[in-house]
Amino acid sequence: MRANTYPTGLALVLILVGLLISFTSVTAAFVTHEAVWRYLIAGGCFVQFLGWVGHGRRNGGRR
């Protein structure tokens, strides 16, 4: 069992990049009221999802 259950490496990078893309796109969508930002929001959430899946796979599915 690992003592460190925090995301590291590529998983951490994907999670942080996904968050950055999502938060920036939400702000831009709120300011500009353009629907095109929704695609970037969904893309950022998907990148973050991939990071969490990668972390779960590295961690063996355990917490």
Side-chain angles (χ1 to χ4, degrees):
M1 178 178 258
R2 291 183 164 202
N4 183 7
T5 59
Y6 297 105
T8 58
L10 181 62
L12 179 63
V13 170
L14 288 175
I15 292 168
L16 293 178
V17 168
L19 280 171
L20 181 66
I21 291 170
S22 297
F23 287 161
T24 304
S25 300
V26 166
T27 304
F30 182 73
V31 170
T32 63
H33 301 290
E34 293 186 23
V36 74
W37 291 107
R38 294 178 192 171
Y39 296 111
L40 278 177
I41 295 168
C45 292
F46 183 70
V47 169
Q48 185 184 18
F49 172 77
L50 290 177
W52 283 113
V53 167
H55 169 64
R57 187 176 305 132
R58 179 187 65 87
N59 206 20
R62 288 181 246 108
R63 287 181 141 206

